[in-house]
Amino acid sequence: MDHFTLSLAVGAAAGALVAIPMIAQKASFRHCIAAFCTYLFAAVITFYSDLPYLPWWADGMGIALMIAIPAATVGSGKESRPVPTLLNAVLVGFLISVAERYLA
């Protein structure tokens, strides 16, 4: 499996890891697709970049956090939950970094 296909597979797995609980909580389809795409793109960016001054395990955390900050701050009303969104981004970003380190 080449590098790009592996990044898409890891991103799809990370996106599914986030979107499936959202579906179970009856979140809107638009929010589920947005979360899936966020982590899909975060994985591709993580696989093709190296943030300076960060160890390998923090690259995915930094990238996923930077991508998730706008989604966490734009929420409206009672659906706005920035802290769990950002913590989820850090956790899934770490898992993306681990996948890149040991699968690529």
Side-chain angles (χ1 to χ4, degrees), residues 15-84:
L17 182 70
V18 173
I20 289 172
M22 291 176 70
I23 293 169
Q25 293 176 354
K26 307 273 193 254
S28 70
F29 182 71
R30 182 176 55 179
H31 289 118
C32 294
I33 292 296
F36 180 82
C37 289
T38 297
Y39 293 107
L40 178 71
F41 298 144
V44 173
I45 292 170
T46 300
F47 270 63
Y48 283 97
S49 67
D50 184 26
L51 295 178
Y53 308 114
L54 287 179
W56 66 266
W57 52 268
D59 280 342
M61 293 166 63
I63 291 169
L65 189 61
M66 287 186 280
I67 291 176
I69 285 174
T73 58
V74 173
S76 62
K78 68 178 186 176
E79 292 181 10
S80 177
R81 304 176 79 187
V83 174

